[in-house]
Every structure is written in C-alpha cells, then in structure tokens.
Amino acid sequence: RGLGGNEPAREIDVMALLESLQSDNEAMGRQVTVAGRASAPYVGVVSLLKRCLSNLVDNAVLYGERVTIQVEDSAQCLTLRFLDEGPGIPPDQLEAVFEPFHRLESSRSRATGGTGLGLTIARNIAQAHGGDITLRNRPDRGLEAVLTLPRPPLRQQSR
C-alpha cells in the first residue's frame, strides 16, 4: 500500500515526536533512550516521519532489546542514530535488508519477526524527504541505523 502522507510538509517538533515514541515504547515495557537535541523544527510530513521513526525503533528493540537514539543537528542536516545492543547483521546483508520482504530470520511468527517491510518503508520515507538510512554494525555489539535528513538552505530574504 502507499505511504500515505497526503498532508503538506510543515514544521515538526522532532524532540516532541521522539519523546512521544519513547513514552509509547516504555508503556510496552521497551527501553528507549533519547540523547541530544534538535536545535530547530524539521520541515516534513509528520505522519510519514513518525512512521519512519517508529519502524526504526521497532526494529531496534525487536532485535536489539533496547535502543538509544542519538540526535545530532546542524544547519545542513538532522541526523538520528538508532543504536541497539543486538547481534548486528551479517555484513553482506546490510543493504539487502532494505529490499521488500527480505528477512534475516525465517520464521513466520510475529513474535520473532515482521513481514520484511519496515526498513523498506523507513528508507522510502527518508528518501522522500531528501535523506537516507544507512546501517552499520557497531564495533563491540549491535547495529547502528543512521537516518539523515537534510535541512533546506535558508531562503534569501528579498528587500
């Protein structure tokens, strides 16, 4: 099905969105920590951005037990790093997991895995905002999913 997101782009309080996701996950007994701050609102489609962030958090807590979201912000780019403590992903599968229906785990149980669309959808949303998602295994343990969202240049003010 389509991504939806038919509403127009608007300023989004990223920290409020992250804190809401953190609270919702804590209510389900999941450990989600947010570190850092966005220095300004991000202009995007709120329903899509929320879905993207939710998919990244869901993957991190499903496969990595807990997640820390590191927020880094600059005039050029908003970067969110989702750091989990799971087993990581085989290096030859780091890009393949973005393909629709690609799953690393072969059971059909919802308790142990989804449909293989979460990362596909998250990346499509990031790209629709001019950004991307990349994955890398952390040196000691776990996976790092990096969501990069560019900030448009400030418009020249006319006189």
Side-chain angles (χ1 to χ4, degrees):
R1 93 187 135 127
L3 291 177
N6 296 325
E7 71 266 25
R10 65 177 179 89
E11 287 190 353
I12 301 167
D13 181 340
V14 175
M15 296 312 299
L17 188 55
L18 290 172
E19 289 162 5
S20 173
L21 282 170
Q22 180 183 32
S23 177
D24 292 347
N25 277 278
E26 286 177 351
M28 294 185 284
R30 298 170 159 185
Q31 188 175 346
V32 176
T33 304
V34 178
R37 299 226 32 101
S39 58
Y42 179 77
V43 176
V45 180
V46 70
S47 65
L48 293 180
L49 194 57
K50 183 175 183 177
R51 186 169 183 189
C52 176
L53 298 176
S54 294
N55 287 0
L56 291 169
V57 168
D58 286 347
N59 269 0
V61 296
L62 180 63
Y63 298 105
E65 299 174 21
R66 63 186 57 85
V67 62
T68 298
I69 306 167
Q70 292 181 341
V71 181
E72 302 167 9
D73 201 0
S74 72
Q76 297 78 31
C77 186
L78 175 64
T79 303
L80 304 175
R81 299 178 187 278
F82 296 77
L83 308 168
D84 73 39
E85 298 178 18
I89 294 176
D92 65 334
Q93 296 291 304
L94 286 170
E95 195 59 30
V97 295
F98 289 106
E99 293 298 318
F101 307 108
H102 184 89
R103 296 179 56 204
L104 294 176
E105 170 294 309
S106 61
S107 84
R108 298 175 69 84
S109 167
R110 283 291 294 148
T112 59
T115 60
L117 288 173
L119 288 174
T120 303
I121 291 168
R123 180 177 256 182
N124 286 344
I125 292 169
Q127 290 173 343
H129 284 83
D132 201 4
I133 297 173
T134 57
L135 302 176
R136 74 173 186 87
N137 287 306
R138 296 171 61 199
D140 294 330
R141 179 170 168 81
L143 187 72
E144 177 181 23
V146 181
L147 169 61
T148 306
L149 297 168
R151 290 189 177 275
L154 294 174
R155 294 183 190 157
Q156 296 287 336
Q157 291 185 2
S158 57
R159 296 185 186 258

